[in-house]
Amino acid sequence: MRIVFIGPPGAGKGTQCKRLTERYGIPHLSTGEMLRAVDRDSALGRLIASYINVGRLAPDYLVMRIVKKRLLDPDCVPGCLFDGFPRTVAQAELLDEHLRDQQQRLTCVIHLNADPAMLVQRMLRRAELENRIDDTEQTIAQRLEVFEQQTRPVLDHYHAQSLVRTVDAALEPAQVFDQLCAILDSLA
Ligand code: ADP
């Protein structure tokens, strides 16, 4: 199964994907984590930080390079969970092209839908726990704006392919998880 998770920052993509990976054994590809894992003392790490730390998206070419490299790992051949990728229509088109070349396709796109005001509260709580540099009030507002401007159109891209299933991310995490499992079980 190859599943894309799309949702605004704070909707719970990372948390849910981690649990799904435990249950289904499908690798979890978080582009946010992959970008944060690049050594901050390298030139590339500094470039990436200059986007992430102010709530902007890293450049498409860079994200594609990291994702394509990871997709070559043998554990990704049967499938994976894409968390936070694609985040722009250009990334979605490049992923379509890549999958076509590999004679693969997406199984489905899960939209974790949530009200922005609730997300701000969630992320400010998370900031205290995780100490992420991009979880300040100003950066959160910027990331939500970027989601509306650049990532919401990705949902339209996938609606046109009839791939989107929407789940209410305002529910308790356990309930969201149950709904996601029901979707994955129906696709197996
Ligand atoms: P969240 O979805 O809660 O914002 P992520 O860990 O998914 O958390 O992403 C954190 C940051 O990493 C984003 O704000 C962005 O700067 C960068 N990022 C993650 N995925 C992508 C992507 N696919 N394209 C560009 N930038 C990305």
Side-chain angles (χ1 to χ4, degrees):
M1 276 193 273
R2 251 168 237 98
I3 304 181
V4 164
F5 288 81
I6 298 183
K13 301 181 296 288
T15 311
Q16 296 295 340
C17 284
K18 280 195 183 80
R19 294 193 60 191
L20 291 169
T21 290
E22 277 168 27
R23 172 165 303 191
Y24 293 91
I26 309 172
H28 171 203
L29 268 67
S30 158
T31 42
E33 279 179 15
M34 287 152 105
L35 291 164
R36 282 191 293 275
V38 175
D39 179 6
R40 280 297 142 96
D41 291 328
S42 66
L44 181 61
R46 280 193 295 274
L47 176 70
I48 290 171
S50 73
Y51 292 96
I52 293 190
N53 295 356
V54 295
R56 293 178 55 201
L57 295 183
D60 291 332
Y61 77 92
L62 226 159
V63 175
M64 289 312 297
R65 200 163 76 199
I66 293 177
V67 170
K68 278 190 178 180
K69 185 162 174 284
R70 177 69 180 93
L71 287 178
L72 292 176
D73 292 338
D75 64 321
C76 290
V77 174
C80 66
L81 307 177
F82 292 105
D83 161 9
F85 170 86
R87 251 173 155 102
T88 63
V89 172
Q91 290 177 17
E93 287 171 350
L94 290 165
L95 178 64
D96 284 350
E97 198 179 297
H98 174 79
L99 293 175
R100 245 195 326 271
D101 288 349
Q102 304 292 314
Q103 296 179 336
Q104 295 172 340
R105 58 180 193 83
L106 290 178
T107 316
C108 112
V109 173
I110 294 179
H111 172 204
L112 285 175
N113 190 27
D115 165 49
M118 180 201 81
L119 295 172
V120 175
Q121 292 313 314
R122 257 197 205 174
M123 278 186 282
L124 288 174
R125 272 201 306 276
R126 179 173 79 180
E128 291 168 17
L129 301 173
E130 292 185 7
N131 206 14
R132 261 175 59 169
I133 239 168
D134 59 347
D135 272 347
T136 65
E137 204 158 351
Q138 195 189 1
T139 315
I140 289 169
Q142 169 69 14
R143 283 154 63 210
L144 286 167
E145 178 68 22
V146 165
F147 176 82
E148 290 305 327
Q149 301 290 330
Q150 295 183 262
T151 309
R152 197 171 283 285
V154 178
L155 283 170
D156 299 331
H157 175 88
Y158 288 129
H159 271 299
Q161 300 180 22
S162 306
L163 283 172
V164 181
R165 307 278 293 264
T166 299
V167 170
D168 180 3
L171 298 172
E172 286 300 312
Q175 287 175 290
V176 175
F177 184 66
D178 288 346
Q179 294 203 6
L180 294 175
C181 290
I183 294 176
L184 264 67
D185 291 339
S186 75
L187 296 168

